[in-house]
Amino acid sequence: MTLRNSLVWFRRDLRVDDHAALHHALLSSRHVFGVFVFDTDILAGLPPDDRRVQFLLDSVRELDARLRSLGGYLIVRHGRAAQVIPALAAELDAESVFANRDYEPQALARDRAVLETLRAAGRSLQTFKDQVIFERDEVLTLAGGPYSVFTPYKNAWLKRLAREPEALRPFETAPHAAALAPAPADHALPSLAALGFVPNAAPIARPGMSGAEHLLAQFEERLARYDHDRDYPALDATSRLSVHLRFGTLSVRRLVAMLQARIADGSGGAGAPVWLAELVWREFYMMILARHPRVVTQSFKQAFDAVAWDDGPDADALLAAWCAGRTGYPLVDAAMLQLERTGFMHNRLRMVTASFLTKDLGIDWRRGERWFALKLNDYELASNNGGWQWAASTGCDAQPWFRIFNPVTQSKRFDPDGDFIRQYLPQLARLSGAAIHAPWLARPGALAQAGVVLGMDYPRPIVDHDAAREKTLARFKAIRAA
Ligand code: FAD
């Protein structure tokens, strides 16, 4: 034991089990305090009923309760983390602050500022790998550089894991909990109102570690069918764990260990390796962001920064229609309404709506990315940026730029009976499975029978897909020719 007092700074790791920073602090300190900061630098600009803030507060409450059951507690502060953390370390006389690494450029800048202030006061900041199995420089090409295509990255990632099974060893905390500093008598947590927020009418279900446990237990039953079912938005086939992975209410090591066990005993079926690949996508995009922070504002493939996106007054109106779910393409609109009403959007639909914005409406991917960032419960810079650049063909994608999703074909393929569309567009509910994907092509009699007047109950398409496709091909060809 080398330290008297230390402070664990919880950020996107709101759990007590298998927690690298907490584990190391407990092993090296006599008294360990924990803190979470509602960072005003991050909260500023969010709508007052932002679901994520409520989810965070609920998860923080559960974290505090779990720490208290182990003999500790969680200090919760509201302010600029870059100032709050060094001030709190001084107040507690903590020699060191322990935190798990965050790879987003703004977080890295914040951590550098905290480190400098702590250092000037004779304290230290120790950071640990926790939110990924392998971080930015751990999976490299034979030449020692970063991968820019997913499949070879995934193969190298899997090989490294096979060589290094200890990468999944959990960081124990409970056996060392005696070092946790007990709560003072006046310990209290802030309310949502004290943070300047109000409850959302449709909050994120199942916050905290217990929420993650519940979703995981349910998903484990569906895992073996994931490879097939995951593409159908009307099915409850994916895990819905993204918001938990985002805020660290469960450990990714645990998920990968579970998958390995189920692949080994055969109970994971064909679904388990496919789900594992999704977790590797998450790390791939985190690696891309860490190695190429310019992707936050620029195309990964730099030549595509020259794409002439539509940015005239029409583009503003088209963007507004896309955001509001009024494009006239039912699958796109139902997806955008799912996002607005729940804060979630199915992966297939994220691809369809992002392709629609960039390839059908010709609008800059950064504008769609911003809308998703505002609305997604699981918003995560690396995956969102990666997903948008993939859809816009400006990113690290093995597919060529002329991949353009046809929104009607996607609808027929992945929502064949229109069940998903009906959930969000009840005005189309009485249209047949065949007509619901493209109501403007339905026979007038069929529309009348279903009680749909196009242009009144539901918009006509705001763009003609075939014409838009030609425009997009020309837009991208111009880059190639330049
Ligand atoms: P599951 O299918 O159960 O997958 C398990 C986990 O793997 C997910 O929770 C997620 O952590 C990870 N994952 C799955 N697919 C991907 C992927 N394509 N890229 C990276 N990680 C993946 N995911 C986010 O977590 N945050 C985002 O902000 C985000 N924005 C996206 C934007 C676009 C345009 C696209 C195409 C995809 C985006 N994704 C994002 C990836 C993916 O859509 C979501 O992770 C997934 O839909 C979440 O649902 P789930 O937890 O049920 O996923």
Side-chain angles (χ1 to χ4, degrees), residues 226 238-242 245 275 278-279 281-282 285 344-345 347 350-351 376 378-380 383-384 387-388:
Y226 178 80
T238 68
S239 70
R240 298 288 188 117
L241 282 170
S242 49
L245 282 161
W275 202 61
E278 300 301 342
L279 297 178
W281 268 110
R282 174 178 169 271
Y285 283 141
F344 183 79
M345 192 195 285
N347 181 59
R350 294 186 205 204
M351 295 193 283
L376 279 174
D378 61 23
Y379 165 61
E380 211 261 318
S383 299
N384 198 41
W388 272 95

PDB file of all heavy atoms in Angstrom, residues 226 238-242 245 275 278-279 281-282 285 344-345 347 350-351 376 378-380 383-384 387-388, ligand 1:
ATOM      1  N   TYR A 226     -29.133 -14.315 -33.276  1.00  0.00           N
ATOM      2  CA  TYR A 226     -28.780 -12.924 -33.585  1.00  0.00           C
ATOM      3  C   TYR A 226     -28.346 -12.744 -35.043  1.00  0.00           C
ATOM      4  O   TYR A 226     -28.704 -11.751 -35.689  1.00  0.00           O
ATOM      5  CB  TYR A 226     -27.679 -12.451 -32.630  1.00  0.00           C
ATOM      6  CG  TYR A 226     -27.194 -11.044 -32.890  1.00  0.00           C
ATOM      7  CD1 TYR A 226     -27.912  -9.943 -32.434  1.00  0.00           C
ATOM      8  CD2 TYR A 226     -26.010 -10.806 -33.597  1.00  0.00           C
ATOM      9  CE1 TYR A 226     -27.463  -8.651 -32.665  1.00  0.00           C
ATOM     10  CE2 TYR A 226     -25.562  -9.526 -33.834  1.00  0.00           C
ATOM     11  CZ  TYR A 226     -26.289  -8.449 -33.373  1.00  0.00           C
ATOM     12  OH  TYR A 226     -25.841  -7.167 -33.600  1.00  0.00           O
ATOM     13  N   THR A 238     -31.951  -7.496 -31.110  1.00  0.00           N
ATOM     14  CA  THR A 238     -30.607  -7.050 -30.704  1.00  0.00           C
ATOM     15  C   THR A 238     -30.603  -6.846 -29.189  1.00  0.00           C
ATOM     16  O   THR A 238     -31.643  -6.965 -28.533  1.00  0.00           O
ATOM     17  CB  THR A 238     -30.206  -5.766 -31.456  1.00  0.00           C
ATOM     18  OG1 THR A 238     -31.034  -4.697 -31.016  1.00  0.00           O
ATOM     19  CG2 THR A 238     -30.349  -5.949 -32.960  1.00  0.00           C
ATOM     20  N   SER A 239     -29.443  -6.536 -28.633  1.00  0.00           N
ATOM     21  CA  SER A 239     -29.332  -6.546 -27.161  1.00  0.00           C
ATOM     22  C   SER A 239     -29.878  -5.288 -26.491  1.00  0.00           C
ATOM     23  O   SER A 239     -30.227  -5.317 -25.318  1.00  0.00           O
ATOM     24  CB  SER A 239     -27.864  -6.701 -26.771  1.00  0.00           C
ATOM     25  OG  SER A 239     -27.150  -5.521 -27.096  1.00  0.00           O
ATOM     26  N   ARG A 240     -29.862  -4.158 -27.182  1.00  0.00           N
ATOM     27  CA  ARG A 240     -30.198  -2.850 -26.604  1.00  0.00           C
ATOM     28  C   ARG A 240     -29.221  -2.453 -25.502  1.00  0.00           C
ATOM     29  O   ARG A 240     -29.542  -1.650 -24.623  1.00  0.00           O
ATOM     30  CB  ARG A 240     -31.630  -2.822 -26.040  1.00  0.00           C
ATOM     31  CG  ARG A 240     -32.704  -3.056 -27.061  1.00  0.00           C
ATOM     32  CD  ARG A 240     -32.834  -1.826 -27.966  1.00  0.00           C
ATOM     33  NE  ARG A 240     -33.984  -1.947 -28.828  1.00  0.00           N
ATOM     34  CZ  ARG A 240     -35.023  -1.112 -28.787  1.00  0.00           C
ATOM     35  NH1 ARG A 240     -35.053  -0.111 -27.954  1.00  0.00           N
ATOM     36  NH2 ARG A 240     -36.018  -1.277 -29.624  1.00  0.00           N
ATOM     37  N   LEU A 241     -28.041  -3.039 -25.544  1.00  0.00           N
ATOM     38  CA  LEU A 241     -27.058  -2.741 -24.489  1.00  0.00           C
ATOM     39  C   LEU A 241     -26.189  -1.518 -24.811  1.00  0.00           C
ATOM     40  O   LEU A 241     -25.336  -1.147 -24.012  1.00  0.00           O
ATOM     41  CB  LEU A 241     -26.161  -3.969 -24.259  1.00  0.00           C
ATOM     42  CG  LEU A 241     -26.805  -5.076 -23.418  1.00  0.00           C
ATOM     43  CD1 LEU A 241     -25.951  -6.340 -23.438  1.00  0.00           C
ATOM     44  CD2 LEU A 241     -27.021  -4.622 -21.974  1.00  0.00           C
ATOM     45  N   SER A 242     -26.394  -0.908 -25.980  1.00  0.00           N
ATOM     46  CA  SER A 242     -25.471   0.162 -26.395  1.00  0.00           C
ATOM     47  C   SER A 242     -25.390   1.294 -25.376  1.00  0.00           C
ATOM     48  O   SER A 242     -24.302   1.804 -25.102  1.00  0.00           O
ATOM     49  CB  SER A 242     -25.879   0.708 -27.762  1.00  0.00           C
ATOM     50  OG  SER A 242     -27.260   0.998 -27.801  1.00  0.00           O
ATOM     51  N   LEU A 245     -23.184   0.097 -22.619  1.00  0.00           N
ATOM     52  CA  LEU A 245     -21.762   0.091 -22.984  1.00  0.00           C
ATOM     53  C   LEU A 245     -21.253   1.528 -23.027  1.00  0.00           C
ATOM     54  O   LEU A 245     -20.115   1.818 -22.678  1.00  0.00           O
ATOM     55  CB  LEU A 245     -21.564  -0.600 -24.336  1.00  0.00           C
ATOM     56  CG  LEU A 245     -21.620  -2.128 -24.231  1.00  0.00           C
ATOM     57  CD1 LEU A 245     -21.876  -2.763 -25.594  1.00  0.00           C
ATOM     58  CD2 LEU A 245     -20.318  -2.678 -23.639  1.00  0.00           C
ATOM     59  N   TRP A 275     -22.296 -11.450 -32.994  1.00  0.00           N
ATOM     60  CA  TRP A 275     -22.419 -10.397 -31.958  1.00  0.00           C
ATOM     61  C   TRP A 275     -21.032  -9.946 -31.489  1.00  0.00           C
ATOM     62  O   TRP A 275     -20.807  -8.762 -31.257  1.00  0.00           O
ATOM     63  CB  TRP A 275     -23.262 -10.904 -30.776  1.00  0.00           C
ATOM     64  CG  TRP A 275     -23.854  -9.776 -29.974  1.00  0.00           C
ATOM     65  CD1 TRP A 275     -24.718  -8.822 -30.419  1.00  0.00           C
ATOM     66  CD2 TRP A 275     -23.617  -9.471 -28.601  1.00  0.00           C
ATOM     67  NE1 TRP A 275     -25.039  -7.946 -29.403  1.00  0.00           N
ATOM     68  CE2 TRP A 275     -24.376  -8.333 -28.279  1.00  0.00           C
ATOM     69  CE3 TRP A 275     -22.836 -10.059 -27.604  1.00  0.00           C
ATOM     70  CZ2 TRP A 275     -24.384  -7.749 -27.014  1.00  0.00           C
ATOM     71  CZ3 TRP A 275     -22.844  -9.494 -26.336  1.00  0.00           C
ATOM     72  CH2 TRP A 275     -23.612  -8.355 -26.044  1.00  0.00           C
ATOM     73  N   GLU A 278     -19.724  -7.372 -33.614  1.00  0.00           N
ATOM     74  CA  GLU A 278     -20.283  -6.027 -33.367  1.00  0.00           C
ATOM     75  C   GLU A 278     -19.497  -5.321 -32.270  1.00  0.00           C
ATOM     76  O   GLU A 278     -19.241  -4.116 -32.329  1.00  0.00           O
ATOM     77  CB  GLU A 278     -21.762  -6.101 -32.975  1.00  0.00           C
ATOM     78  CG  GLU A 278     -22.678  -6.739 -34.011  1.00  0.00           C
ATOM     79  CD  GLU A 278     -22.667  -6.025 -35.347  1.00  0.00           C
ATOM     80  OE1 GLU A 278     -22.240  -4.873 -35.431  1.00  0.00           O
ATOM     81  OE2 GLU A 278     -23.090  -6.658 -36.334  1.00  0.00           O
ATOM     82  N   LEU A 279     -19.108  -6.085 -31.254  1.00  0.00           N
ATOM     83  CA  LEU A 279     -18.315  -5.476 -30.170  1.00  0.00           C
ATOM     84  C   LEU A 279     -16.939  -5.060 -30.698  1.00  0.00           C
ATOM     85  O   LEU A 279     -16.362  -4.075 -30.228  1.00  0.00           O
ATOM     86  CB  LEU A 279     -18.172  -6.446 -28.990  1.00  0.00           C
ATOM     87  CG  LEU A 279     -19.482  -6.829 -28.299  1.00  0.00           C
ATOM     88  CD1 LEU A 279     -19.224  -7.826 -27.167  1.00  0.00           C
ATOM     89  CD2 LEU A 279     -20.198  -5.597 -27.730  1.00  0.00           C
ATOM     90  N   TRP A 281     -16.465  -4.027 -33.821  1.00  0.00           N
ATOM     91  CA  TRP A 281     -16.740  -2.778 -34.570  1.00  0.00           C
ATOM     92  C   TRP A 281     -16.610  -1.581 -33.634  1.00  0.00           C
ATOM     93  O   TRP A 281     -16.049  -0.548 -33.984  1.00  0.00           O
ATOM     94  CB  TRP A 281     -18.165  -2.773 -35.142  1.00  0.00           C
ATOM     95  CG  TRP A 281     -18.312  -3.306 -36.532  1.00  0.00           C
ATOM     96  CD1 TRP A 281     -18.922  -4.469 -36.886  1.00  0.00           C
ATOM     97  CD2 TRP A 281     -17.878  -2.690 -37.760  1.00  0.00           C
ATOM     98  NE1 TRP A 281     -18.885  -4.610 -38.259  1.00  0.00           N
ATOM     99  CE2 TRP A 281     -18.261  -3.542 -38.816  1.00  0.00           C
ATOM    100  CE3 TRP A 281     -17.211  -1.510 -38.059  1.00  0.00           C
ATOM    101  CZ2 TRP A 281     -17.994  -3.244 -40.157  1.00  0.00           C
ATOM    102  CZ3 TRP A 281     -16.938  -1.207 -39.399  1.00  0.00           C
ATOM    103  CH2 TRP A 281     -17.325  -2.066 -40.415  1.00  0.00           C
ATOM    104  N   ARG A 282     -17.161  -1.742 -32.444  1.00  0.00           N
ATOM    105  CA  ARG A 282     -17.116  -0.642 -31.466  1.00  0.00           C
ATOM    106  C   ARG A 282     -15.665  -0.248 -31.185  1.00  0.00           C
ATOM    107  O   ARG A 282     -15.311   0.927 -31.166  1.00  0.00           O
ATOM    108  CB  ARG A 282     -17.850  -1.129 -30.203  1.00  0.00           C
ATOM    109  CG  ARG A 282     -17.792  -0.205 -29.018  1.00  0.00           C
ATOM    110  CD  ARG A 282     -18.606  -0.802 -27.868  1.00  0.00           C
ATOM    111  NE  ARG A 282     -18.377  -0.087 -26.638  1.00  0.00           N
ATOM    112  CZ  ARG A 282     -17.408  -0.394 -25.770  1.00  0.00           C
ATOM    113  NH1 ARG A 282     -16.586  -1.401 -26.011  1.00  0.00           N
ATOM    114  NH2 ARG A 282     -17.265   0.328 -24.670  1.00  0.00           N
ATOM    115  N   TYR A 285     -13.913   1.474 -34.284  1.00  0.00           N
ATOM    116  CA  TYR A 285     -14.178   2.907 -34.444  1.00  0.00           C
ATOM    117  C   TYR A 285     -13.494   3.727 -33.340  1.00  0.00           C
ATOM    118  O   TYR A 285     -13.085   4.865 -33.573  1.00  0.00           O
ATOM    119  CB  TYR A 285     -15.685   3.170 -34.463  1.00  0.00           C
ATOM    120  CG  TYR A 285     -16.344   2.811 -35.782  1.00  0.00           C
ATOM    121  CD1 TYR A 285     -17.602   2.212 -35.817  1.00  0.00           C
ATOM    122  CD2 TYR A 285     -15.727   3.094 -36.991  1.00  0.00           C
ATOM    123  CE1 TYR A 285     -18.221   1.900 -37.027  1.00  0.00           C
ATOM    124  CE2 TYR A 285     -16.337   2.778 -38.206  1.00  0.00           C
ATOM    125  CZ  TYR A 285     -17.571   2.183 -38.218  1.00  0.00           C
ATOM    126  OH  TYR A 285     -18.181   1.886 -39.421  1.00  0.00           O
ATOM    127  N   PHE A 344     -33.820   5.694 -29.411  1.00  0.00           N
ATOM    128  CA  PHE A 344     -33.128   4.539 -29.970  1.00  0.00           C
ATOM    129  C   PHE A 344     -33.457   4.452 -31.449  1.00  0.00           C
ATOM    130  O   PHE A 344     -34.528   4.875 -31.880  1.00  0.00           O
ATOM    131  CB  PHE A 344     -33.571   3.246 -29.262  1.00  0.00           C
ATOM    132  CG  PHE A 344     -32.826   2.022 -29.753  1.00  0.00           C
ATOM    133  CD1 PHE A 344     -31.538   1.751 -29.308  1.00  0.00           C
ATOM    134  CD2 PHE A 344     -33.409   1.161 -30.673  1.00  0.00           C
ATOM    135  CE1 PHE A 344     -30.834   0.637 -29.775  1.00  0.00           C
ATOM    136  CE2 PHE A 344     -32.713   0.036 -31.144  1.00  0.00           C
ATOM    137  CZ  PHE A 344     -31.423  -0.215 -30.689  1.00  0.00           C
ATOM    138  N   MET A 345     -32.527   3.928 -32.231  1.00  0.00           N
ATOM    139  CA  MET A 345     -32.861   3.550 -33.607  1.00  0.00           C
ATOM    140  C   MET A 345     -32.101   2.271 -33.918  1.00  0.00           C
ATOM    141  O   MET A 345     -30.928   2.131 -33.574  1.00  0.00           O
ATOM    142  CB  MET A 345     -32.478   4.640 -34.616  1.00  0.00           C
ATOM    143  CG  MET A 345     -33.071   4.388 -36.005  1.00  0.00           C
ATOM    144  SD  MET A 345     -32.321   5.380 -37.316  1.00  0.00           S
ATOM    145  CE  MET A 345     -33.030   6.969 -36.994  1.00  0.00           C
ATOM    146  N   ASN A 347     -30.045  -0.597 -35.782  1.00  0.00           N
ATOM    147  CA  ASN A 347     -28.848  -0.417 -36.615  1.00  0.00           C
ATOM    148  C   ASN A 347     -29.159  -0.389 -38.109  1.00  0.00           C
ATOM    149  O   ASN A 347     -28.641   0.446 -38.843  1.00  0.00           O
ATOM    150  CB  ASN A 347     -27.831  -1.520 -36.312  1.00  0.00           C
ATOM    151  CG  ASN A 347     -26.571  -1.352 -37.134  1.00  0.00           C
ATOM    152  OD1 ASN A 347     -25.911  -0.328 -37.058  1.00  0.00           O
ATOM    153  ND2 ASN A 347     -26.256  -2.341 -37.961  1.00  0.00           N
ATOM    154  N   ARG A 350     -30.430   2.921 -38.883  1.00  0.00           N
ATOM    155  CA  ARG A 350     -29.411   3.988 -38.863  1.00  0.00           C
ATOM    156  C   ARG A 350     -28.711   4.017 -40.220  1.00  0.00           C
ATOM    157  O   ARG A 350     -28.421   5.079 -40.764  1.00  0.00           O
ATOM    158  CB  ARG A 350     -28.391   3.739 -37.741  1.00  0.00           C
ATOM    159  CG  ARG A 350     -29.005   3.843 -36.362  1.00  0.00           C
ATOM    160  CD  ARG A 350     -27.960   3.751 -35.246  1.00  0.00           C
ATOM    161  NE  ARG A 350     -28.605   3.267 -34.019  1.00  0.00           N
ATOM    162  CZ  ARG A 350     -28.165   3.471 -32.795  1.00  0.00           C
ATOM    163  NH1 ARG A 350     -27.075   4.170 -32.588  1.00  0.00           N
ATOM    164  NH2 ARG A 350     -28.811   2.987 -31.755  1.00  0.00           N
ATOM    165  N   MET A 351     -28.463   2.827 -40.780  1.00  0.00           N
ATOM    166  CA  MET A 351     -27.794   2.782 -42.092  1.00  0.00           C
ATOM    167  C   MET A 351     -28.710   3.337 -43.176  1.00  0.00           C
ATOM    168  O   MET A 351     -28.281   4.096 -44.036  1.00  0.00           O
ATOM    169  CB  MET A 351     -27.377   1.346 -42.428  1.00  0.00           C
ATOM    170  CG  MET A 351     -26.331   0.798 -41.484  1.00  0.00           C
ATOM    171  SD  MET A 351     -25.564  -0.716 -42.083  1.00  0.00           S
ATOM    172  CE  MET A 351     -26.792  -1.935 -41.768  1.00  0.00           C
ATOM    173  N   LEU A 376     -29.633  10.442 -29.912  1.00  0.00           N
ATOM    174  CA  LEU A 376     -29.403   9.033 -29.556  1.00  0.00           C
ATOM    175  C   LEU A 376     -29.083   8.850 -28.072  1.00  0.00           C
ATOM    176  O   LEU A 376     -28.167   9.492 -27.546  1.00  0.00           O
ATOM    177  CB  LEU A 376     -28.222   8.469 -30.356  1.00  0.00           C
ATOM    178  CG  LEU A 376     -28.449   8.001 -31.779  1.00  0.00           C
ATOM    179  CD1 LEU A 376     -27.106   7.619 -32.421  1.00  0.00           C
ATOM    180  CD2 LEU A 376     -29.414   6.814 -31.836  1.00  0.00           C
ATOM    181  N   ASP A 378     -27.634   6.296 -26.951  1.00  0.00           N
ATOM    182  CA  ASP A 378     -26.328   5.642 -26.885  1.00  0.00           C
ATOM    183  C   ASP A 378     -25.255   6.450 -27.595  1.00  0.00           C
ATOM    184  O   ASP A 378     -24.192   5.928 -27.907  1.00  0.00           O
ATOM    185  CB  ASP A 378     -26.392   4.221 -27.472  1.00  0.00           C
ATOM    186  CG  ASP A 378     -26.794   4.196 -28.953  1.00  0.00           C
ATOM    187  OD1 ASP A 378     -26.615   5.203 -29.659  1.00  0.00           O
ATOM    188  OD2 ASP A 378     -27.302   3.141 -29.403  1.00  0.00           O
ATOM    189  N   TYR A 379     -25.551   7.753 -27.826  1.00  0.00           N
ATOM    190  CA  TYR A 379     -24.626   8.546 -28.635  1.00  0.00           C
ATOM    191  C   TYR A 379     -23.187   8.400 -28.143  1.00  0.00           C
ATOM    192  O   TYR A 379     -22.877   8.612 -26.970  1.00  0.00           O
ATOM    193  CB  TYR A 379     -25.015  10.034 -28.638  1.00  0.00           C
ATOM    194  CG  TYR A 379     -23.865  10.869 -29.159  1.00  0.00           C
ATOM    195  CD1 TYR A 379     -23.404  10.664 -30.461  1.00  0.00           C
ATOM    196  CD2 TYR A 379     -23.206  11.790 -28.353  1.00  0.00           C
ATOM    197  CE1 TYR A 379     -22.323  11.376 -30.945  1.00  0.00           C
ATOM    198  CE2 TYR A 379     -22.129  12.502 -28.832  1.00  0.00           C
ATOM    199  CZ  TYR A 379     -21.679  12.289 -30.125  1.00  0.00           C
ATOM    200  OH  TYR A 379     -20.600  12.977 -30.594  1.00  0.00           O
ATOM    201  N   GLU A 380     -22.354   8.079 -29.082  1.00  0.00           N
ATOM    202  CA  GLU A 380     -20.963   7.819 -28.776  1.00  0.00           C
ATOM    203  C   GLU A 380     -20.194   8.324 -29.979  1.00  0.00           C
ATOM    204  O   GLU A 380     -20.461   7.908 -31.108  1.00  0.00           O
ATOM    205  CB  GLU A 380     -20.849   6.295 -28.622  1.00  0.00           C
ATOM    206  CG  GLU A 380     -19.817   5.815 -27.675  1.00  0.00           C
ATOM    207  CD  GLU A 380     -18.618   5.409 -28.473  1.00  0.00           C
ATOM    208  OE1 GLU A 380     -18.777   4.765 -29.530  1.00  0.00           O
ATOM    209  OE2 GLU A 380     -17.534   5.789 -28.057  1.00  0.00           O
ATOM    210  N   SER A 383     -18.472   5.689 -32.625  1.00  0.00           N
ATOM    211  CA  SER A 383     -19.375   4.844 -33.422  1.00  0.00           C
ATOM    212  C   SER A 383     -20.288   5.686 -34.304  1.00  0.00           C
ATOM    213  O   SER A 383     -20.636   5.278 -35.424  1.00  0.00           O
ATOM    214  CB  SER A 383     -20.260   3.982 -32.522  1.00  0.00           C
ATOM    215  OG  SER A 383     -19.490   3.132 -31.750  1.00  0.00           O
ATOM    216  N   ASN A 384     -20.710   6.824 -33.797  1.00  0.00           N
ATOM    217  CA  ASN A 384     -21.617   7.666 -34.587  1.00  0.00           C
ATOM    218  C   ASN A 384     -20.881   8.225 -35.803  1.00  0.00           C
ATOM    219  O   ASN A 384     -21.359   8.137 -36.926  1.00  0.00           O
ATOM    220  CB  ASN A 384     -22.156   8.798 -33.708  1.00  0.00           C
ATOM    221  CG  ASN A 384     -23.401   9.448 -34.286  1.00  0.00           C
ATOM    222  OD1 ASN A 384     -24.278   8.766 -34.814  1.00  0.00           O
ATOM    223  ND2 ASN A 384     -23.479  10.763 -34.210  1.00  0.00           N
ATOM    224  N   GLY A 387     -20.173   5.353 -38.168  1.00  0.00           N
ATOM    225  CA  GLY A 387     -21.392   4.916 -38.858  1.00  0.00           C
ATOM    226  C   GLY A 387     -21.796   5.906 -39.946  1.00  0.00           C
ATOM    227  O   GLY A 387     -22.183   5.514 -41.058  1.00  0.00           O
ATOM    228  N   TRP A 388     -21.697   7.188 -39.633  1.00  0.00           N
ATOM    229  CA  TRP A 388     -22.077   8.205 -40.624  1.00  0.00           C
ATOM    230  C   TRP A 388     -21.116   8.225 -41.798  1.00  0.00           C
ATOM    231  O   TRP A 388     -21.527   8.308 -42.955  1.00  0.00           O
ATOM    232  CB  TRP A 388     -22.181   9.596 -39.966  1.00  0.00           C
ATOM    233  CG  TRP A 388     -23.563   9.788 -39.437  1.00  0.00           C
ATOM    234  CD1 TRP A 388     -23.998   9.562 -38.163  1.00  0.00           C
ATOM    235  CD2 TRP A 388     -24.717  10.158 -40.203  1.00  0.00           C
ATOM    236  NE1 TRP A 388     -25.352   9.777 -38.082  1.00  0.00           N
ATOM    237  CE2 TRP A 388     -25.820  10.153 -39.310  1.00  0.00           C
ATOM    238  CE3 TRP A 388     -24.934  10.499 -41.534  1.00  0.00           C
ATOM    239  CZ2 TRP A 388     -27.111  10.473 -39.735  1.00  0.00           C
ATOM    240  CZ3 TRP A 388     -26.231  10.818 -41.952  1.00  0.00           C
ATOM    241  CH2 TRP A 388     -27.295  10.797 -41.050  1.00  0.00           C
TER     242      TRP A 388
HETATM  243  P1  FAD B   1     -26.401  -4.953 -30.778  1.00  0.00           P
HETATM  244  O1  FAD B   1     -26.743  -5.359 -32.149  1.00  0.00           O
HETATM  245  O2  FAD B   1     -26.886  -5.770 -29.657  1.00  0.00           O
HETATM  246  O3  FAD B   1     -24.799  -4.873 -30.719  1.00  0.00           O
HETATM  247  C1  FAD B   1     -24.067  -4.991 -29.495  1.00  0.00           C
HETATM  248  C2  FAD B   1     -23.166  -3.813 -29.289  1.00  0.00           C
HETATM  249  O4  FAD B   1     -22.142  -3.782 -30.280  1.00  0.00           O
HETATM  250  C3  FAD B   1     -23.863  -2.481 -29.381  1.00  0.00           C
HETATM  251  O5  FAD B   1     -24.505  -2.182 -28.174  1.00  0.00           O
HETATM  252  C4  FAD B   1     -22.700  -1.555 -29.700  1.00  0.00           C
HETATM  253  O6  FAD B   1     -21.960  -1.220 -28.552  1.00  0.00           O
HETATM  254  C5  FAD B   1     -21.827  -2.420 -30.586  1.00  0.00           C
HETATM  255  N1  FAD B   1     -22.143  -2.197 -31.999  1.00  0.00           N
HETATM  256  C6  FAD B   1     -23.083  -2.816 -32.723  1.00  0.00           C
HETATM  257  N2  FAD B   1     -23.040  -2.392 -34.011  1.00  0.00           N
HETATM  258  C7  FAD B   1     -22.055  -1.471 -34.064  1.00  0.00           C
HETATM  259  C8  FAD B   1     -21.525  -0.673 -35.117  1.00  0.00           C
HETATM  260  N3  FAD B   1     -21.984  -0.732 -36.367  1.00  0.00           N
HETATM  261  N4  FAD B   1     -20.538   0.200 -34.809  1.00  0.00           N
HETATM  262  C9  FAD B   1     -20.039   0.269 -33.555  1.00  0.00           C
HETATM  263  N5  FAD B   1     -20.504  -0.470 -32.529  1.00  0.00           N
HETATM  264  C10 FAD B   1     -21.483  -1.330 -32.781  1.00  0.00           C
HETATM  265  N6  FAD B   1     -23.606   2.890 -31.840  1.00  0.00           N
HETATM  266  C11 FAD B   1     -23.430   3.505 -30.658  1.00  0.00           C
HETATM  267  O7  FAD B   1     -23.203   2.840 -29.639  1.00  0.00           O
HETATM  268  N7  FAD B   1     -23.504   4.867 -30.553  1.00  0.00           N
HETATM  269  C12 FAD B   1     -23.759   5.661 -31.632  1.00  0.00           C
HETATM  270  O8  FAD B   1     -23.796   6.887 -31.504  1.00  0.00           O
HETATM  271  C13 FAD B   1     -23.975   5.027 -32.888  1.00  0.00           C
HETATM  272  N8  FAD B   1     -24.287   5.758 -33.982  1.00  0.00           N
HETATM  273  C14 FAD B   1     -24.461   5.121 -35.195  1.00  0.00           C
HETATM  274  C15 FAD B   1     -24.733   5.893 -36.338  1.00  0.00           C
HETATM  275  C16 FAD B   1     -24.896   5.283 -37.568  1.00  0.00           C
HETATM  276  C17 FAD B   1     -25.176   6.135 -38.790  1.00  0.00           C
HETATM  277  C18 FAD B   1     -24.790   3.882 -37.679  1.00  0.00           C
HETATM  278  C19 FAD B   1     -24.972   3.205 -39.004  1.00  0.00           C
HETATM  279  C20 FAD B   1     -24.527   3.111 -36.563  1.00  0.00           C
HETATM  280  C21 FAD B   1     -24.357   3.705 -35.303  1.00  0.00           C
HETATM  281  N9  FAD B   1     -24.093   2.956 -34.137  1.00  0.00           N
HETATM  282  C22 FAD B   1     -23.884   3.598 -32.952  1.00  0.00           C
HETATM  283  C23 FAD B   1     -23.901   1.489 -34.214  1.00  0.00           C
HETATM  284  C24 FAD B   1     -25.164   0.633 -33.976  1.00  0.00           C
HETATM  285  O9  FAD B   1     -26.217   1.091 -34.767  1.00  0.00           O
HETATM  286  C25 FAD B   1     -25.600   0.606 -32.504  1.00  0.00           C
HETATM  287  O10 FAD B   1     -24.508   0.306 -31.667  1.00  0.00           O
HETATM  288  C26 FAD B   1     -26.689  -0.455 -32.278  1.00  0.00           C
HETATM  289  O11 FAD B   1     -27.797  -0.212 -33.108  1.00  0.00           O
HETATM  290  C27 FAD B   1     -27.123  -0.435 -30.822  1.00  0.00           C
HETATM  291  O12 FAD B   1     -28.133  -1.376 -30.594  1.00  0.00           O
HETATM  292  P2  FAD B   1     -27.872  -2.679 -29.719  1.00  0.00           P
HETATM  293  O13 FAD B   1     -27.190  -2.330 -28.448  1.00  0.00           O
HETATM  294  O14 FAD B   1     -29.150  -3.408 -29.641  1.00  0.00           O
HETATM  295  O15 FAD B   1     -26.810  -3.421 -30.647  1.00  0.00           O
END
